[in-house]
Each structure stands twice: as C-alpha cells, then as structure tokens.
C-alpha cells in the first residue's frame, strides 16, 4: 500500500517516451489548490515542438503495442487497475488538493478509474470481427484495427477518472496515446502515467504533456500524425477541435456538457426526488457535465419540492476537500468568476434566490449551494451551462409542457424523470432528446453503460463496449476461392 501523503514534487516535467523530459523552452506555471489559492507545484507549459515529440513517441511505440497479443495487453491494463486501487488514497488526496473536491468524492473517482482499467482489460481478447456470408466462392470477414495515435484532451472536473475513461479503451484496442490534462488539474495524470509504466505499459504508449489549450491542446488536435481525438470540455473548444481535426480528416469523440432537465411529477416520492436532485447538482460543486441543472416541476407540487430542495441545499456543509465536507470549492478562480456572474445574471433577470447565492468569506473559491425559483426556460441561467452549484427550478402545467421544456435546449446529454407511473416514465424516456435517461434516480450510468450526448452535447459514446467504436476501425477482407479473375465490378 502506498502512503496517502506521498509528497507532491515541486516541479514536474513532461512524460514522453517513458521518461521525464523538460520542454523546449522550460516555461512553467503553477497548479493551485482551489481551497487555499496557494500553488501546489510547478508544471511544464508544453509548446508545439514538445507536443510533436510526444506524438512521435506514441507513433514509434504503436507497432509493437498493436502487435502485443491481446491477452498480454489485457493483463497489463488490468495491472494498472490494481495499482490504481492500491494507490487509491494517495491519488484521491492528490486529486482533492489539485481539484478541490471532497476527499470521499475523489476516492469514488479513483475507484471508478480503477474500474475502467479492469473493465476494458477484460475485453482485450474479445474484440471480434464478423464473417459475412457472400456465397461459396469467396470468404469475407471483418477485423477491427486500432487507429494508431489517440489524443486525449481532458478537463478539470474529473481529471483522473477521465484519464482512465479514455486511455483504458484506447490502449486495450491497441492504440498508443498522448494525454493533455487540463492546466488547472494536471497532477493526477502525471502520477497515473507512472503507475501505468509500473504496470508494464511500454515506453511511449502513454505520454502526458501538460500545458494550456493554446498552444499545447491546439498543437495536439491539429497534429497530422494524430489518428483520433477524444475530448471532454466546453462546446466552443469542442468546435475548435473539430475544425482543426477536419484539416486532417481526424475522427473526433466529443463530450461537451449539458443543461440537464430533472422532471418531477406529483406522483413521485418527493423526498427521494429532492435527495437525488440535490446530490445531482451539488456533487463536485456542480462541475459535472451530467448534473441535474434544470428542475422542471409540476406546479401542484412546486412549493413543496422547492421547500425540500432548499432544506437539503441549506444543510450542506461547504469547506476544503481535505475535511471531506458535503461540497468543496470550485476548481479555479476563473470558474468562481463564471459562476458568480451567472448568479448575478439570475438576480438581474428577476429570478428569486430561494437559498444560497453568496461566496464564502474566506480564502478559496467557495460558493454556496444555490437554488433559483421564478425561472423561465428562456432565461440564460436556464439555457447555459453554469457548471457550478446552481439549480434552476421551472414549473410546468402538464406533461406535454414538461416534455417541451425539457427538450427546448441546445444540449442533450442526460435527462431524468421522477414519477411512479411506469408508462409515463417510458413515454418520456422515448421522447427525451438525451443520450442518457434516468428514471427515479440520477447518475445511473456506470463504466459499463454507453455515455454521450445528443445535439450540442457531443459526438460518439464513451464508456461501455460502445467506446471501442472510437478506438477501432473496421477493415473488410474479401478472399477469392476460385480460379476465376476479373468477374466483379465496383458497385455491383
Ligand atoms: P475547455 O473546454 O476550454 O477545456 C477543456 C480542455 O481543453 C483543457 O484540457 C484545455 O486545456 C483544452 N483546450 C482548451 N482550448 C483548446 C484548444 N483550442 N484546442 C485543444 N484543446 C484545448 O473548458 P474550460 O475553459 O476549462 O471551461 C469552460 C466551461 O466548459 C466550463 O465552465 C464548463 O461549462 C465547460 N466544461 C465542461 C466539461 C464537461 O465535463 N463536459 C468539463 C470542463 C468544462
Ligand atoms: Mg489545481
């Protein structure tokens, strides 16, 4: 077992080709503890030339990793999962300090990260193709082959967990990777890459470059030697990445957040609904793409539900992640600025603050759990992703209005329905424009279930076996069994 208090290094280099290497110009920046606003460590600001070195290292490592037998690949990836489990406390503490989240939430993230490695490891020797019946004169079959170099650009809300979500299936499928963690939260990725090496991942199969979106992220997503890109983050950055990828015809998997409706009917268990919804909006201080941001509630039970939501929200204890409170700080000063601006915007648009709405008078980027009522669905606080502990409550008159409001949004990541009426639950599940629908619960997806957005919430699916579609391309092979030549024409 590792000690949780493994010291954080003062300075971190880039991890390229199995080694710690300094960047071309040695520029560094601080990563900050958002509970104290104090620097934790200095991290390297990679430039285009460093990104190029990392991509070349991944390219060089690709043929050997691709040709490593699937069961051996699976064993190595499984060992990563075990090492992540053994180092859970250390990784959770590191994540909590760098990102801000309560330690128990960080532990849950790390266990989830271990599970990704374990889950995908078991699939390594089961990535089968198909045989296609084309008649007796030909054998036709498909094989699923890795793309090559997979770029992973991750955000700051679940840094270690999302490292695992992308790297595990990418590697299991036989790709090599270059990971660029978010500049706010690089430390867990820099530790994970060491554990991956300890598990037996060959040099160059995982490279970690730290740095900013511009230039490091852009150099990675526009690199002609990157074969597939996985990105989680904002819509605007997703659009930029997609445009850059277009120049090289590089496929993208994009997970771009949401503004997710939680629909509550009078026949729901209101206490349970309030409990799920508050967890779903205040976990990780609301910095969750699948948070329950918009409560749509039948007007008959509006006041009763709001009372319960306010009871829950106002009982939250907020503090540094290391004290394991109900809610920690926001991850960065920038995010604090964004969230407080949205709270101000809500006030100005005449929505009512039922509870919260203030920052805490102390060091760190803390905001109270906040509930807005008197919200209309066309207000910006109801349409835009706040990514903070801010819940908006909107009443509806009947089920058709509920569905209309739920879908009247650019996003389509997740949605939830709270009702005891089974047929209504299924009707809504059919008609909600979202990649994931929860009935009488929230965060219902696991490592095993596909996850991704409709509409502006993204392209492709992560998690589950479907994630392999981002990391494997199909090759069809046709074999002539006859002595004939020249019979077939294209398009026939
Ligand atoms: P962002 O989308 O700009 O950053 C995410 C990652 O993309 C980081 O690693 C960043 O360095 C990288 N990046 C930034 N610009 C890039 C570029 N041009 N090319 C390649 N990579 C680039 O998000 P940001 O600015 O940190 O947060 C803004 C908002 O985005 C948040 O308030 C939230 O609404 C949303 N967001 C959504 C997330 C989700 O889970 N879907 C996660 C993080 C942010
Ligand atoms: Mg930090």
């Amino acid at each position: 077992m590792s000690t949780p208090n493994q010291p954080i290094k003062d300075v971190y280099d880039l991890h390229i080709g199995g080694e710690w290497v300094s960047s071309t110009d040695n520029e560094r920046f601080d990563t900050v503890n958002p509970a104290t606003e104090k620097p934790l460590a200095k991290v390297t600001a990679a430039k285009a030339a460093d990104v190029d070195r990392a991509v070349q290292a991944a390219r060089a490592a690709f043929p050997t990793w691709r040709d490593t037998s699937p069961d051996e690949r699976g064993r190595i990836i499984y060992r990563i999962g075990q090492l992540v489990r053994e180092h859970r406390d250390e990784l959770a503490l590191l994540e909590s300090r760098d990102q801000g989240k309560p330690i128990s939430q960080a532990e849950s993230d790390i266990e989830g990260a271990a599970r990704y490695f374990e889950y995908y490891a078991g699939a390594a020797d089961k990535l089968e193709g198909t045989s296609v019946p084309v008649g007796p004169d030909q054998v036709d079959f498909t094989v699923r082959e890795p793309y090559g170099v997979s770029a992973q650009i991750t955000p700051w809300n679940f840094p270690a967990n999302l490292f695992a979500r992308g790297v595990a299936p990418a590697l299991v499928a036989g790709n090599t990777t270059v990971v660029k963690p978010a500049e706010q939260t690089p430390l867990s990725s820099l530790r994970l890459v060491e554990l991956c090496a300890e598990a037996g991942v060959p040099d160059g199969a995982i490279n970690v470059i730290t740095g900013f979106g511009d230039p490091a992220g852009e150099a990675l997503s526009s690199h002609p030697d990157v074969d597939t890109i996985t990105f989680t983050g904002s819509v605007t950055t997703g659009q930029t990445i997609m445009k850059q990828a277009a120049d090289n015809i590089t496929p993208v998997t994009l997970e771009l957040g949401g503004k997710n409706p939680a629909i509550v009917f009078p026949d729901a268990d209101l206490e349970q609904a309030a409990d799920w919804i508050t967890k779903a909006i205040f976990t990780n201080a609301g910095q969750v793409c699948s948070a329950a941001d918009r409560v749509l509630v039948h007007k008959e039970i509006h006041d009763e539900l709001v009372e319960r939501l306010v009871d829950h929200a106002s009982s939250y204890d907020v503090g540094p992640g290391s004290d394991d409170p109900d809610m920690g700080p926001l991850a960065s000063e920038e995010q604090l600025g964004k969230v407080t601006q949205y709270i101000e915007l809500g006030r100005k648009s005449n929505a009512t603050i039922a509870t919260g709405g203030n920052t805490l008078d102390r060091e760190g980027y803390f905001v109270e759990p906040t509930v807005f009522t008197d919200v209309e669905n066309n207000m910006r606080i109801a349409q835009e992703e706040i990514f903070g502990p801010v819940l908006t409550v909107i009443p509806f008159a009947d089920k058709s209005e509920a569905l209309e409001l739920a879908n009247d949004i650019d996003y389509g990541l997740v949605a939830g329905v709270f009702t005891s009426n089974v047929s209504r639950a299924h009707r809504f599940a059919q008609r909600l424009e979202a990649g994931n629908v929860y009935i009488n619960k929230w965060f219902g997806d696991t490592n095993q279930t596909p996850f991704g957005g409709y509409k502006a919430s993204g392209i492709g699916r992560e998690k589950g076996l479907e994630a392999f579609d981002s990391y494997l391309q199909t090759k069809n092979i046709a074999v002539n069994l006859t002595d004939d030549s020249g019979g077939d024409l294209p398009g026939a």
Side-chain angles (χ1 to χ4, degrees):
M1 281 284 177
S2 68
T3 67
N5 279 316
Q6 177 118 344
I8 295 176
K9 289 192 252 178
D10 292 338
V11 178
Y12 287 85
D13 282 328
L14 306 172
H15 204 274
I16 298 177
E19 287 173 27
W20 292 109
V21 297
S22 50
S23 68
T24 34
D25 66 1
N26 269 312
E27 190 195 325
R28 313 218 190 247
F29 62 98
D30 288 328
T31 186
V32 169
N33 179 339
T36 63
E37 306 179 32
K38 304 251 166 27
L40 280 169
K42 285 208 178 299
V43 176
T44 299
K47 302 292 156 52
D50 306 309
V51 172
D52 185 55
R53 276 195 292 165
V55 173
Q56 294 320 325
R59 168 70 49 212
F62 173 59
T64 306
W65 181 246
R66 175 196 59 200
D67 295 338
T68 302
S69 73
D71 55 314
E72 175 63 5
R73 278 208 306 270
R75 272 193 295 275
I76 293 170
I77 304 302
Y78 194 81
R79 275 203 291 276
I80 303 176
Q82 291 178 306
L83 284 173
V84 170
R85 259 183 215 293
E86 282 167 30
H87 291 260
R88 183 195 78 160
D89 293 353
E90 176 207 332
L91 287 164
L93 188 62
L94 188 64
E95 193 82 317
S96 171
R97 290 176 75 186
D98 201 12
Q99 198 274 348
K101 63 181 65 193
I103 194 81
S104 57
Q105 290 177 27
E107 284 164 7
S108 157
D109 289 7
I110 300 301
E111 277 164 24
R115 267 286 287 153
Y116 280 121
F117 289 109
E118 293 161 357
Y119 170 77
Y120 286 111
D125 53 1
K126 301 167 193 74
L127 298 171
E128 297 169 354
T130 55
S131 84
V132 186
V134 290
D137 295 341
Q138 194 172 302
V139 169
D140 191 289
F141 61 99
T142 65
V143 290
R144 301 179 78 197
E145 299 188 333
Y147 279 91
V149 177
S150 154
Q152 301 278 332
I153 301 175
T154 60
W156 41 262
N157 53 343
F158 291 86
N161 190 269
L162 297 185
F163 177 110
R165 181 170 94 177
V167 166
L171 283 187
V172 162
N175 302 274
T176 54
T177 58
V178 178
V179 184
K180 198 209 77 66
E183 54 272 30
Q184 298 84 351
T185 57
L187 297 184
S188 55
S189 299
L190 292 167
R191 181 68 183 118
L192 281 168
V193 69
E194 288 183 322
L195 296 179
C196 292
E198 199 179 322
V201 172
D203 292 350
I206 308 177
N207 307 275
V208 176
I209 45 155
T210 51
F212 296 91
D214 177 12
E218 294 205 6
L220 186 56
S221 53
S222 60
H223 199 292
D225 246 354
V226 163
D227 300 299
T228 180
I229 300 169
T230 299
F231 168 75
T232 301
S234 62
V235 172
T236 44
T237 300
Q239 288 169 323
T240 304
I241 287 175
M242 207 172 159
K243 283 177 192 149
Q244 289 165 342
D247 286 339
N248 301 313
I249 319 287
T250 308
V252 292
T253 301
L254 304 176
E255 201 260 86
L256 305 179
K259 187 74 179 179
N260 311 299
I263 308 166
V264 188
F265 284 98
D267 59 10
D269 180 325
L270 290 195
E271 185 46 30
Q272 273 188 22
D275 204 27
W276 281 111
I277 290 167
T278 39
K279 279 203 190 88
I281 183 66
F282 300 132
T283 296
N284 204 21
Q287 302 162 122
V288 183
C289 49
S290 53
D293 314 271
R294 286 187 300 147
V295 169
L296 307 177
V297 56
H298 194 282
K299 59 184 185 190
E300 260 174 32
I301 51 159
H302 174 275
D303 294 355
E304 191 185 342
L305 183 72
V306 167
E307 199 177 306
R308 290 173 196 264
L309 292 169
V310 166
D311 273 357
H312 279 70
S314 55
S315 73
Y316 262 59
D317 88 87
V318 181
S322 53
D323 294 348
D324 204 26
D326 298 320
M327 198 176 91
L330 293 164
S332 66
E333 188 174 9
E334 197 186 6
Q335 197 57 22
L336 176 72
K338 179 179 168 186
V339 171
T340 51
Q341 268 176 25
Y342 272 109
I343 292 175
E344 204 38 48
L345 193 64
R347 281 202 178 95
K348 283 197 186 127
S349 49
N350 290 329
T352 304
I353 293 188
T355 183
N358 303 303
T359 55
L360 298 197
D361 185 17
R362 51 158 296 160
E363 63 180 7
Y365 311 128
F366 294 95
V367 183
E368 292 172 343
T370 300
V371 177
F372 270 109
T373 55
D374 298 316
V375 177
E376 282 165 35
N377 198 48
N378 60 8
M379 288 180 184
R380 283 182 60 194
I381 56 165
Q383 288 289 317
E384 296 174 19
E385 188 178 52
I386 299 174
F387 229 58
V390 181
L391 183 63
T392 53
V393 183
I394 303 168
F396 65 80
D398 55 34
K399 58 183 194 285
S400 62
E401 192 189 9
L403 186 63
E404 199 180 303
L405 290 171
N407 288 337
D408 181 15
I409 191 100
D410 290 338
Y411 288 104
L413 192 60
V414 310
V417 186
F418 293 89
T419 179
S420 55
N421 180 328
V422 175
S423 53
R424 176 185 290 152
H426 281 284
R427 286 267 174 239
F428 270 76
Q430 279 175 356
R431 293 288 168 250
L432 283 165
E433 295 163 359
N436 289 66
V437 176
Y438 311 134
I439 309 292
N440 294 326
K441 66 179 314 198
W442 205 271
F443 300 137
D445 33 70
T446 75
N447 311 57
Q448 296 154 251
T449 52
F451 180 80
Y454 278 34
K455 305 197 286 192
S457 288
I459 296 177
R461 293 293 175 268
E462 302 206 62
K463 303 185 169 188
L465 295 176
E466 213 169 316
F468 282 119
D469 294 346
S470 297
Y471 300 109
L472 291 165
Q473 49 192 341
T474 298
K475 179 181 281 176
N476 185 273
I477 298 169
V479 184
N480 184 11
L481 299 183
T482 72
D483 298 331
D484 298 346
S485 66
D488 293 340
L489 294 176

